Coordinates of all heavy atoms in Angstrom, one line a residue:
A58 N 60.0 85.2 77.3 CA 60.6 84.1 78.0 C 62.0 83.9 77.5 O 62.4 84.3 76.4 CB 59.8 82.8 77.7
P59 N 63.0 83.4 78.4 CA 64.3 83.2 77.9 C 64.3 82.2 76.7 O 63.6 81.2 76.7 CB 65.0 82.5 79.1 CG 64.1 83.0 80.3 CD 62.7 83.1 79.8
R60 N 65.2 82.5 75.8 CA 65.3 81.6 74.6 C 66.7 80.9 74.6 O 67.7 81.5 74.7 CB 65.2 82.5 73.3 CG 65.2 81.6 72.0 CD 64.8 82.4 70.9 NE 65.7 83.5 70.6 CZ 66.8 83.4 69.8 NH1 67.0 82.3 69.2 NH2 67.6 84.4 69.6
F61 N 66.7 79.6 74.6 CA 67.9 78.8 74.6 C 68.6 79.0 73.3 O 68.2 78.8 72.2 CB 67.5 77.3 74.8 CG 68.8 76.4 74.9 CD1 69.5 76.3 76.1 CD2 69.2 75.7 73.8 CE1 70.6 75.6 76.2 CE2 70.4 74.9 73.9 CZ 71.1 74.8 75.1
I62 N 69.9 79.4 73.5 CA 70.7 79.6 72.2 C 72.1 78.8 72.3 O 73.0 79.1 71.6 CB 71.0 81.1 72.0 CG1 71.7 81.7 73.2 CG2 69.8 81.8 71.7 CD1 72.2 83.1 73.0
G63 N 72.2 77.9 73.3 CA 73.4 77.1 73.4 C 74.7 77.9 73.8 O 74.7 78.7 74.7
L64 N 75.7 77.7 73.0 CA 77.0 78.3 73.3 C 77.2 79.6 72.5 O 78.3 80.2 72.5 CB 78.1 77.4 72.9 CG 78.2 76.0 73.6 CD1 79.3 75.1 73.1 CD2 78.4 76.2 75.2
E65 N 76.2 80.2 72.0 CA 76.3 81.4 71.2 C 76.8 82.6 72.0 O 77.7 83.4 71.5 CB 74.9 81.8 70.6 CG 75.0 82.9 69.6 CD 73.6 83.2 68.9 OE1 73.0 82.2 68.6 OE2 73.3 84.4 68.8
N66 N 76.4 82.8 73.3 CA 76.9 83.8 74.1 C 78.3 83.7 74.4 O 79.2 84.7 74.3 CB 76.1 83.9 75.4 CG 74.8 84.5 75.3 OD1 74.6 85.4 74.6 ND2 73.8 84.0 76.1
L67 N 78.8 82.5 74.6 CA 80.3 82.2 74.9 C 81.1 82.5 73.6 O 82.2 83.1 73.7 CB 80.5 80.8 75.3 CG 80.0 80.5 76.8 CD1 80.1 79.0 77.1 CD2 80.8 81.3 77.8
A68 N 80.5 82.1 72.4 CA 81.2 82.4 71.2 C 81.3 83.9 70.9 O 82.3 84.4 70.5 CB 80.5 81.7 70.1
R69 N 80.3 84.6 71.3 CA 80.3 86.1 71.2 C 81.3 86.7 72.0 O 82.0 87.7 71.6 CB 78.9 86.6 71.5 CG 78.7 88.1 71.4 CD 77.4 88.5 71.8 NE 77.3 90.0 71.9 CZ 76.2 90.6 72.4 NH1 75.1 89.9 72.8 NH2 76.2 91.9 72.5
V70 N 81.6 86.2 73.3 CA 82.6 86.7 74.2 C 83.9 86.7 73.5 O 84.7 87.6 73.6 CB 82.6 85.9 75.5 CG1 83.8 86.4 76.3 CG2 81.3 86.2 76.3
F71 N 84.3 85.5 72.9 CA 85.6 85.4 72.3 C 85.7 86.2 71.0 O 86.9 86.4 70.5 CB 85.9 83.9 72.0 CG 86.0 83.1 73.3 CD1 85.0 82.4 73.8 CD2 87.2 83.1 73.9 CE1 85.2 81.6 75.0 CE2 87.4 82.4 75.1 CZ 86.4 81.7 75.6
R72 N 84.7 86.8 70.5 CA 84.8 87.6 69.3 C 84.7 89.1 69.7 O 84.9 90.0 68.9 CB 83.6 87.4 68.3 CG 83.5 86.0 67.7 CD 82.6 86.0 66.5 NE 81.2 86.3 67.0 CZ 80.3 85.5 67.3 NH1 80.5 84.2 67.4 NH2 79.1 85.9 67.7
D73 N 84.5 89.3 71.0 CA 84.2 90.7 71.5 C 85.6 91.4 71.8 O 86.2 91.2 72.8 CB 83.3 90.7 72.7 CG 82.8 92.1 73.1 OD1 83.4 93.0 72.7 OD2 81.8 92.1 73.9
K74 N 86.1 92.2 70.9 CA 87.3 92.9 71.0 C 87.3 93.9 72.2 O 88.3 94.0 72.9 CB 87.6 93.7 69.7 CG 88.0 92.8 68.6 CD 88.3 93.7 67.4 CE 88.6 92.8 66.1 NZ 89.0 93.6 64.9
V75 N 86.2 94.6 72.4 CA 86.1 95.5 73.6 C 86.3 94.8 74.9 O 86.9 95.3 75.8 CB 84.8 96.2 73.5 CG1 84.6 97.2 74.7 CG2 84.6 97.1 72.2
Y76 N 85.7 93.6 75.0 CA 85.8 92.8 76.2 C 87.3 92.4 76.5 O 87.8 92.6 77.6 CB 85.0 91.6 76.2 CG 85.3 90.6 77.4 CD1 84.9 90.9 78.7 CD2 86.1 89.5 77.2 CE1 85.2 90.2 79.8 CE2 86.4 88.7 78.3 CZ 85.9 89.0 79.6 OH 86.2 88.3 80.6
W77 N 88.0 92.0 75.5 CA 89.4 91.6 75.7 C 90.3 92.8 75.9 O 91.3 92.7 76.6 CB 89.9 90.8 74.5 CG 89.1 89.5 74.4 CD1 88.2 89.1 73.6 CD2 89.2 88.4 75.4 NE1 87.7 87.8 73.9 CE2 88.4 87.4 75.0 CE3 90.1 88.1 76.5 CZ2 88.2 86.2 75.7 CZ3 90.0 87.0 77.2 CH2 89.0 86.0 76.8
E78 N 89.9 94.0 75.3 CA 90.6 95.2 75.7 C 90.4 95.5 77.2 O 91.3 96.0 77.9 CB 90.2 96.3 74.8 CG 90.7 96.2 73.3 CD 90.1 97.3 72.4 OE1 89.3 98.2 73.0 OE2 90.4 97.3 71.2
S79 N 89.2 95.4 77.6 CA 88.9 95.6 79.0 C 89.6 94.7 79.9 O 90.0 95.0 81.0 CB 87.3 95.5 79.3 OG 86.9 94.1 79.3
M80 N 89.8 93.4 79.5 CA 90.6 92.5 80.3 C 92.1 92.9 80.4 O 92.7 92.8 81.5 CB 90.6 91.1 79.7 CG 91.2 90.0 80.5 SD 90.6 89.9 82.1 CE 88.9 89.2 81.8
V81 N 92.7 93.5 79.3 CA 94.0 94.1 79.4 C 94.0 95.2 80.3 O 95.0 95.4 81.1 CB 94.4 94.6 78.0 CG1 95.8 95.3 78.0 CG2 94.6 93.3 77.0
H82 N 93.0 96.1 80.3 CA 92.9 97.2 81.2 C 92.8 96.7 82.7 O 93.4 97.3 83.6 CB 91.7 98.1 81.0 CG 91.8 98.7 79.6 ND1 90.6 99.1 78.9 CD2 92.8 99.0 78.8 CE1 91.0 99.6 77.8 NE2 92.3 99.6 77.6
T83 N 92.1 95.6 82.9 CA 92.0 95.0 84.2 C 93.3 94.5 84.7 O 93.7 94.8 85.9 CB 91.0 93.8 84.2 OG1 89.7 94.2 83.7 CG2 90.9 93.2 85.6
F84 N 94.1 93.9 83.9 CA 95.5 93.4 84.3 C 96.4 94.6 84.6 O 97.1 94.6 85.5 CB 96.1 92.5 83.3 CG 95.6 91.1 83.4 CD1 94.6 90.7 82.6 CD2 96.2 90.3 84.3 CE1 94.1 89.3 82.8 CE2 95.8 88.9 84.4 CZ 94.8 88.4 83.7
T85 N 96.3 95.7 83.7 CA 97.1 96.9 83.9 C 96.8 97.5 85.2 O 97.6 97.9 85.9 CB 96.8 97.8 82.7 OG1 97.1 97.3 81.5 CG2 97.7 99.1 82.9
Y86 N 95.4 97.7 85.5 CA 95.0 98.3 86.7 C 95.4 97.4 87.9 O 96.0 97.9 88.9 CB 93.5 98.3 86.7 CG 92.8 98.8 87.9 CD1 92.8 100.1 88.3 CD2 92.2 97.8 88.8 CE1 92.1 100.5 89.5 CE2 91.5 98.2 90.0 CZ 91.5 99.6 90.3 OH 90.9 99.9 91.5

Side-chain angles (χ1 to χ4, degrees):
R60 183 169 64 88
F61 182 79
I62 57 174
L64 299 175
E65 189 175 319
N66 282 326
L67 289 174
R69 180 181 169 188
V70 172
F71 289 100
R72 297 192 304 266
D73 193 337
K74 292 182 180 180
V75 177
Y76 171 72
W77 294 107
E78 288 175 1
S79 74
M80 185 58 67
V81 172
H82 297 155
T83 301
F84 277 96
T85 303
Y86 172 79

